[in-house]
Every structure is written in structure tokens, then in C-alpha cells.
Amino acid sequence: MTLPAPTLTETASALCLLFILMVPLAPAGIALINAGLGRSRNASHSLLSALCVVAVAALVYFAIGFAWQGYLGRPAHMLNIHGKSWSWIASEPFFLRGLEFNGSPASLAALLGMFSVGLAGMIPLGSGGDRWRLGAICASTAVLAGWTYPLFAHWAWGGGWLQQLGPNYGLGRGFLDSGGAASIQALGGLSALAITWILGPRRGKYTSEGMPTAIPGHNAVFVVFGCFLAWLGWIGLGSAGAMLFSGVESGSAVLVALNTTLAAAAAMLAAAGITRARFGKPDASLCANGWIAGLVASSAASAMIRPAASAAIGLVAGVLVVYSVEWLELHLTIDDPGGAISVHGLGGLWGLVAAGLFARIPGGNGAGQWLAQLAGVATLLGFVLPIAYLLNWLLNRVYPQRVAAEGERQGLDLYELGAGAYPDFMSHNEDLWQR
């Protein structure tokens, strides 16, 4: 069964375009957060890497990405299983040929997809910070934008088999992910986990006994200001996604903005409360991570959840991110400077499960909807994570992803770009000479 595309009036199309134009604020915010949580001698490299991710992702998505993702009601390759047709990948022309740029839902979805894939590609930068080569970042982004992202986005957004679980298999309304909790956030977070495994921890992060040492970020102002930018970008992303992929009315943007804000606020205050109780003072970086985790967790169904439920979802996300960051670092020796795995990976997975529990959808509530959400979570863990690791492992065999030891000691700004972000200040410290 082919799922029909939502219809938008001229006014709704204009409003959707306005929301889509807000989306680039989200990657701008994430770029600042990643830079602020890294060392000062890598700040220029971090921000330039973010810009390169957006550029590479946009070009690859334009060339082949949308051809694999497609949109509801448009051509796709189907598999017939037990008399039911399941869509597994789109069959659009390359280079956006055949797509009319007239404000149609498909053209708006292509523009939103171009912005969204850049955001998804930027998430692993937080985990690979201070040690990931610029060329390797571009190559990894090309793989994500050309294959991993569009394939899963077709399943979740483009009328693929996860969305068809509703009409074909009776699981509620099928997989629900109106704002990209799965297609952008969890996918990016699991890709970050794969990258972190391949790169290994930063020099000096772990002692000879295997205990982690603190490597604080260099600019809390970047981090907190990035949270404000991300907040606005998420409101645009959630509103546009709900209109294009879930068929809700444009007036639902009010509920999206309200729920997005409540989830972020509850998550941030939860992180602040936990860190104050444990350490005596709130931790700025974990509070910022809590804020973003709340945004992420609200993404799956912000147009279909009551405000009280959204605040509860954010509260849980804030608790999860604080303990997850510590657990990954202490027990699994995963060095994630930006907390991207916990914030986007775990936060996105929690948001998907919460959507199955709390979303108010006509004909989509109950155990069936929850099972459809679990099917999406299982696909992310059982397919996206292994394929992201395999593809980046193969890239690492051809073109090593981690910078040389000298480059890490010197700083990526000087080693790869030839100039530091703060030329008038000393950005190196004692660990520059540690071996």
C-alpha cells in the first residue's frame, strides 16, 4: 500500500517554508556547542568542520540523497511479501530532476531534508572532537548523506515500510517520527557512537589505571548561546515535519512550540538539580546537554502530545543524559566530549518510545502504536548502528580518521588549518607536552 501525501493550501505551504527556513539555526547551535565543549586550540577546526559538514551533506543529498529518500506517494521500489507491498527505497531521479519547485509538499520535503541531513551529519562532530581529521569528517558525512540517512529517512518519512506498519500490519498509524527524533537525532547519535569507537579516546583522557580525567570545554558562552539557537531551530523543524510527514494542520505549530519549550526546560532543570545535588553546584555543560536532550526527546511527536506529557518526557531525558554521560565515560571508556551519544542517541530513542506511550493520534494509540515505535528503535539499533560502524570502519582502512599524535598535541587549528582561533591568547597548556 502506498501512503498518500499530505495536501497543503497555499497559505500552509508558505508557513511551512517559513518554518523550514528556521531549521538552519539548529545546526548553528550544535556547531557552537561542539566548539565550546572542545579545547580552545581546536575551536576554528570545529566550526569549519561544521560548515564543511553542511556543505558536503547538501551537495550529496542534492545529487543522490533525495533520490533514495523520496516522499509520500512518489515512486519507490516495492517488495511483495505475503500479498502486501512494502516500500524499501525511493526511485526518484538523481540531482532532483523531475521535482517541481513550486511550494509543493515534495519540494518542501526536499528542502527540509537538505537542512536535516546537515544537522544529522553534525552530531558526530561532538563525539569526535579534538581528534577527527577534516578530510575524514567530509568523507564520513558523504557516506551518511548519500546512504545511511536517506535510506532510513525513506522508511520513516518517505512512505517506507516503517510508516506502512500501520495500514499493512495494523500497528496503530505506523512508525511516528514527525520531527526527526529517529531520522536525524538517533541516527546521528548512533553514528557518533560508531565514530567514537573507531577514533578511541583523546590523549590524556584516561589514566594508566583506566580512570577518566576531566577535560573541560573552553567556552561556556558558546555552549549556552548555542542552546538558544537550537531551540528556535527545533521549533521550525518540529512544525515543518509535523505538517509534511504527519499531515497535521498548520495551527499545530502552537502546540509544537509549547511542547518543545516545555521539554527542553524540564530536561535542563532536571540536569541542573541532579548536578547541584551531586556536586554542590550546577554543571553548565550538563545543563546545556540536558536542554538539547529535551529538544531531541520532544521531536518524535511534539504536535500530538499534551503539554504535561511533554514536560514529563523532557524531565526523563534530562535525568537520562546526566547519568548516561557518566556511565559511558566511566564504565565503557567512551570519550564523548560533546555528549552527542547520550543527548542525541539515547534522547532520540527515548523520545520514540515516549511517542508510542503519550501521543494522542486517532486510530494510533494503544499497544499497536507502541510496537510500531519499538520496531523503529530496533531498526536503528540493529541496522543503522552496525551499518554506520561498518562504513566508517572501511573508510578508516582507506583514509585514517584520527589525526596524528603530533596534530592532537599541537591542536587541530594549527596542524590542519595553520592558524589558531585565538591568536592573541595562549591556548595550549601543560598537556601539550605530555606523551
Side-chain angles (χ1 to χ4, degrees):
M1 176 180 180
T2 301
L3 298 174
T7 56
L8 299 178
T9 64
E10 185 174 343
T11 301
S13 295
L15 187 60
C16 185
L17 176 60
L18 178 62
F19 288 135
I20 292 173
L21 294 178
M22 293 171 59
V23 174
L25 292 171
I30 298 301
L32 281 176
I33 292 170
N34 290 340
L37 290 176
R39 287 166 164 163
S40 60
R41 60 178 181 257
N42 303 312
S44 288
H45 188 275
S46 177
L47 288 172
L48 179 61
S49 296
L51 196 59
C52 288
V53 164
V54 171
V56 172
L59 290 171
V60 174
Y61 186 81
F62 156 71
I64 62 174
F66 185 75
W68 304 139
Q69 177 182 336
Y71 187 61
L72 293 160
R74 293 179 68 87
H77 295 287
M78 312 293 286
L79 292 175
N80 193 283
I81 302 175
H82 298 299
K84 296 183 182 294
S85 295
W86 300 87
S87 176
W88 70 278
I89 193 169
S91 59
E92 298 277 353
F94 293 144
F95 301 102
L96 300 182
R97 290 180 295 109
L99 187 64
E100 296 184 4
F101 303 99
N102 55 1
S104 65
S107 64
L108 292 171
L111 179 60
L112 179 60
M114 183 174 291
F115 292 160
S116 298
V117 72
L119 176 58
M122 197 175 295
I123 292 170
L125 289 179
S127 295
D130 297 344
R131 63 206 189 278
W132 200 8
R133 300 173 66 187
L134 182 59
I137 290 170
C138 293
S140 179
T141 300
V143 170
L144 183 145
W147 182 247
T148 315
Y149 171 88
L151 182 61
F152 186 85
H154 174 72
W155 298 345
W157 280 351
W161 68 272
L162 282 173
Q163 284 187 303
Q164 292 177 298
L165 288 173
N168 275 2
Y169 209 61
L171 297 185
R173 288 277 299 273
F175 183 64
L176 179 64
D177 181 29
S178 61
S183 303
I184 302 171
Q185 310 302 331
L187 184 144
L190 294 175
S191 298
L193 177 58
I195 290 296
T196 306
W197 275 336
I198 292 169
L199 292 175
R202 291 169 291 177
R203 294 179 61 257
K205 178 62 182 176
Y206 291 94
T207 66
S208 57
E209 292 80 23
M211 292 300 296
T213 59
I215 303 179
H218 84 281
N219 195 322
V221 176
F222 279 9
V223 176
V224 176
F225 184 63
C227 290
F228 285 105
L229 293 179
W231 175 31
L232 295 175
W234 247 269
I235 291 174
L237 177 60
S239 299
M243 295 172 66
L244 290 173
F245 306 126
S246 297
V248 303
E249 298 294 331
S250 58
S252 66
V254 176
L255 184 60
V256 170
L258 183 66
N259 283 340
T260 301
T261 303
L262 288 174
M268 190 276 290
L269 291 176
I274 293 172
T275 54
R276 180 181 175 84
R278 296 185 65 192
F279 311 129
K281 297 179 181 179
D283 183 280
S285 64
L286 286 175
C287 288
N289 278 341
W291 176 271
I292 301 299
L295 296 176
V296 169
S298 72
S299 298
S302 55
M304 306 169 191
I305 293 176
R306 291 290 188 183
S310 186
I313 291 170
L315 183 69
V316 173
V319 174
L320 286 175
V321 75
V322 172
Y323 289 103
S324 173
V325 166
E326 178 181 340
W327 188 75
L328 291 175
E329 183 178 277
L330 186 61
H331 298 287
L332 296 183
T333 63
I334 292 176
D335 182 17
D336 181 5
I341 299 168
S342 300
V343 171
H344 300 274
L346 183 60
L349 295 176
W350 159 240
L352 294 172
V353 174
L357 297 174
F358 298 110
R360 299 168 62 89
I361 313 168
N365 299 316
Q369 187 62 53
W370 187 66
L371 288 174
Q373 299 304 107
L374 288 185
V377 170
T379 304
L380 286 162
L381 295 174
F383 175 81
V384 171
L385 177 58
I387 199 67
Y389 181 85
L390 176 61
L391 293 175
N392 282 285
W393 180 84
L394 292 173
L395 280 177
N396 190 52
R397 304 289 293 181
V398 176
Y399 184 78
Q401 304 239 17
R402 182 161 182 158
V403 72
E406 176 60 28
E408 193 173 350
R409 285 192 297 268
Q410 187 181 16
L412 299 179
D413 285 358
L414 292 176
Y415 188 78
E416 289 212 314
L417 305 182
Y422 309 103
D424 294 332
F425 299 91
M426 175 62 72
S427 61
H428 296 181
N429 52 32
E430 294 288 337
D431 66 356
L432 176 62
W433 310 110
Q434 293 176 359
R435 296 180 181 276

